């Protein structure tokens, strides 16, 4: 694997990780934010939900812009918005101001979510794209491992506001890397004819593409299951199971290790078995594992070790689902890669935000509603894979082009 290939993966991974970094790093602070700003659990969770919503729907605009003006300029604009939102969040006097600045921060993060996928499609297709996507996710997945651990240490020593100063610094670093280590991958001649009108036409076309929508939804409900975990885990593990913020961060990171480890097998497995078969096996394993976890906990077993073990296995399977479905969904849409990536990201986050909102309604401080939400998302993802890929020999066994 060439140094250039690795350098691109690192830069794209860091750009993609900026948004999740601003989520994972402040998760251990959610209870203390509520105490400090005199806000209830629902209001504090809203600061998380609003970030997801703005980060998701901001991609609808930034994706087509990247088709029209190139990939780098919108990335610079997104990073600037992210930094402004981070500074505002660090200085927020009330929960309302925090929510407002988190909205701005999420808009900035949307560029880092949508455009790197488009850059992958600019450069590669098929198994090479799967390899680059898995490497990108390796860097991207550093966030859920290191961010909670780093965040808990910062919170314990300097308070939750320091978290936002730290993520702002990370955005400054990403801006420097963008300027020095990544060339423009959408040259001017490929931008000819790109406009908001063609973007709308592209969205209409994509919304009629059942294969694209099915693949996006498979990953969307997989991601949604993780969003449900994100929104509830700190309250459950810290308040219900009595973990300290530091131990919670370790627990949270273990699941990320499973996700990262399996995602790195994407290129090898897709080359050997084909992308579609990898998706099918992975989503089946994920749904099965989550159903087993729900069945155990529904019988009254409330044990952290049982939940930890099965979530570890489940999120390992999920690590294979996300990169493979992304590559398959983008495969036939190179001419409108920014638009396709934007719609994909928006649908992912819309599904995730909806799942988070519903899970919040049923949240009661115990793990069962969270596990039920995760399981429901996993089962829906499995059902969508069955519909989209089918059970035919061609769908499951055909190797990637």
């Amino acid at each position: 694997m060439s140094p250039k290939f690795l350098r691109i993966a690192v830069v794209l991974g860091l750009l993609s990780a900026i948004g999740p970094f601003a989520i994972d790093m402040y998760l251990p602070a959610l209870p203390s934010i509520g105490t400090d700003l005199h806000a209830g659990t629902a209001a504090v969770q809203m600061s998380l939900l609003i970030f997801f919503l703005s980060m998701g729907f901001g991609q609808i605009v930034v994706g087509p812009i990247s088709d029209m003006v190139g990939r780098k300029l919108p990335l610079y604009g997104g990073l600037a918005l992210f930094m402004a939102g981070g500074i505002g969040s660090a200085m927020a006097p009330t929960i309302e101001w925090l929510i407002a600045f988190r909205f701005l921060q999420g808009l900035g993060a949307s560029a880092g979510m949508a455009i790197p996928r488009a850059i992958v499609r600019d450069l590669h297709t098929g198994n090479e794209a799967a390899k680059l996507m898995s490497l990108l996710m390796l860097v991207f997945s550093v966030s859920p491992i290191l961010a909670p651990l780093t965040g808990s240490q910062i919170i314990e020593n300097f308070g939750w506001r320091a978290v936002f100063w730290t993520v702002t610094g990370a955005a400054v670093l990403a801006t420097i890397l963008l300027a020095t280590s990544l060339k423009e991958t959408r040259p001017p001649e490929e931008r000819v004819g790109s406009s908001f009108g063609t973007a709308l036409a592209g969205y209409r076309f994509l919304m009629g593409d059942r294969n694209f929508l099915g693949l996006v939804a498979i990953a969307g409900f997989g991601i949604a299951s993780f969003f449900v975990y994100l929104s509830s885990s700190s309250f459950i593990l810290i308040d219900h199971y009595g973990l300290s913020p530091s131990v919670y961060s370790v627990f949270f990171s273990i699941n990320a290790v499973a996700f990262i480890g399996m995602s790195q097998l994407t290129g090898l497995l897709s080359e050997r078995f084909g992308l579609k078969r990898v998706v099918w096996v992975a989503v089946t394993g994920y749904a099965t594992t989550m159903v087993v976890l729900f069945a155990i906990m529904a019988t009254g077993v409330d044990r952290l070790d049982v939940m930890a073990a099965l979530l570890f296995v489940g999120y390992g399977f999920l690590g294979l689902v996300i990169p493979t479905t992304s590559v398959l969904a983008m495969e036939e849409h190179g001419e409108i890669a920014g638009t396709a990536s934007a719609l994909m990201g928006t649908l992912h986050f819309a599904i995730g935000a909806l799942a988070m909102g519903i899970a919040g309604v049923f949240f009661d401080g115990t793990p069962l509603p969270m596990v039920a939400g995760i399981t429901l998302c996993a089962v829906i993802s499995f059902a969508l894979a069955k519909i989209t890929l089918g059970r035919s020999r061609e769908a499951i066994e055909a190797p990637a082009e």
Side-chain angles (χ1 to χ4, degrees):
M1 200 169 291
S2 70
K4 179 181 178 181
F5 196 88
L6 291 172
R7 185 181 71 250
I8 292 171
V10 169
V11 176
L12 294 181
L14 288 174
L15 288 168
S16 300
I18 288 295
F21 196 67
I23 297 167
D24 302 333
M25 197 170 181
Y26 101 131
L27 287 177
L30 292 179
S32 60
I33 289 173
T35 301
D36 189 36
L37 297 182
H38 308 289
T41 298
V44 175
Q45 286 181 323
M46 180 57 68
S47 71
L48 180 62
L49 177 59
I50 202 69
F51 184 90
F52 277 114
L53 288 173
S54 61
M55 184 163 61
F57 286 99
Q59 295 179 58
I60 283 287
V61 177
V62 76
I65 289 175
S66 77
D67 283 340
M68 289 184 276
V69 304
R71 309 303 185 199
K72 293 188 70 172
L73 185 60
L75 282 170
Y76 284 126
L79 287 166
L81 279 178
F82 182 89
M83 287 185 276
I87 293 170
S89 296
M91 301 175 68
T94 65
I95 191 65
E96 290 80 13
W97 278 107
L98 178 62
I99 291 171
F101 281 115
R102 289 287 282 170
F103 177 83
L104 182 64
Q105 194 179 37
L107 286 179
S110 66
M113 297 302 297
I115 297 176
R117 286 192 301 263
I119 293 174
V120 171
R121 180 57 185 81
D122 289 341
L123 298 172
H124 299 288
T125 59
N127 291 329
E128 287 300 306
K131 291 176 183 177
L132 180 55
M133 191 72 75
S134 65
L135 279 173
L136 186 155
M137 293 194 69
L138 173 62
V139 181
F140 172 85
S141 297
V142 168
S143 173
I145 292 180
L146 296 182
L149 292 169
T150 305
S152 64
Q153 293 301 313
I154 291 173
I155 292 161
E156 289 179 3
N157 290 285
F158 305 104
W160 62 268
R161 295 180 188 276
V163 167
F164 292 105
W165 291 114
T166 304
V167 297
T168 300
V172 172
L173 174 61
T175 303
I176 294 171
L177 289 173
L178 174 62
T180 59
S181 303
L182 188 66
K183 294 183 179 180
E184 178 60 60
T185 61
R186 180 130 174 124
E189 60 269 20
E190 294 183 9
R191 306 172 202 167
V192 176
S194 295
S195 66
F196 281 112
T198 58
L200 290 174
Y203 284 136
R204 285 195 297 270
F205 172 75
L206 292 169
M207 290 300 291
D209 185 339
R210 295 177 63 184
N211 184 66
F212 175 83
L213 292 177
L215 289 164
V216 169
I218 291 168
F221 278 97
I223 292 170
S225 69
F226 192 65
F227 284 4
V228 171
Y229 178 71
L230 280 177
S231 65
S232 302
S233 61
S234 61
F235 295 101
I236 290 170
L237 298 180
I238 294 173
D239 295 337
H240 180 73
Y241 286 115
L243 301 185
S244 68
S246 297
V247 176
Y248 161 74
S249 300
V250 173
F251 183 93
F252 188 89
S253 300
I254 289 172
N255 293 324
V257 169
F259 185 94
I260 293 171
M262 292 302 292
S263 71
Q264 294 314 292
L265 298 178
T266 300
L268 177 65
L269 293 176
S270 62
E271 191 170 9
R272 173 65 178 85
F273 300 106
L275 285 165
K276 291 180 179 179
R277 189 174 185 183
V278 173
V279 173
W280 177 253
V281 172
V283 79
T284 301
Y286 184 47
T288 301
T289 304
M290 294 302 99
V291 168
V292 170
L293 174 59
F294 175 73
I296 291 173
M297 301 203 75
T299 62
V301 176
D302 186 4
R303 290 179 50 179
L304 180 58
D305 57 343
V306 172
M307 185 171 72
L310 289 173
L311 284 175
F312 181 84
V313 174
Y315 286 131
F317 282 116
L318 187 61
L320 291 174
V321 174
I322 309 304
T324 49
T325 52
S326 296
V327 170
L328 284 170
M330 297 281 288
E331 196 76 20
E332 303 299 324
H333 304 296
E335 298 81 4
I336 53 171
T339 300
S341 179
L343 182 59
M344 178 192 300
T346 297
L347 292 176
H348 284 172
F349 278 88
I351 295 169
L354 178 63
M356 284 174 59
I358 294 173
V361 171
F362 294 97
F363 179 78
D364 63 359
T366 68
L368 187 58
M370 180 187 74
V371 171
I374 293 172
T375 303
L376 179 60
C377 289
V379 170
I380 293 174
S381 185
F382 168 80
L384 288 167
K386 183 174 182 180
I387 294 169
T388 303
L389 302 178
R391 298 296 297 274
S392 67
R393 183 182 183 85
E394 177 184 0
I396 300 175
E397 298 186 2
E401 295 292 333

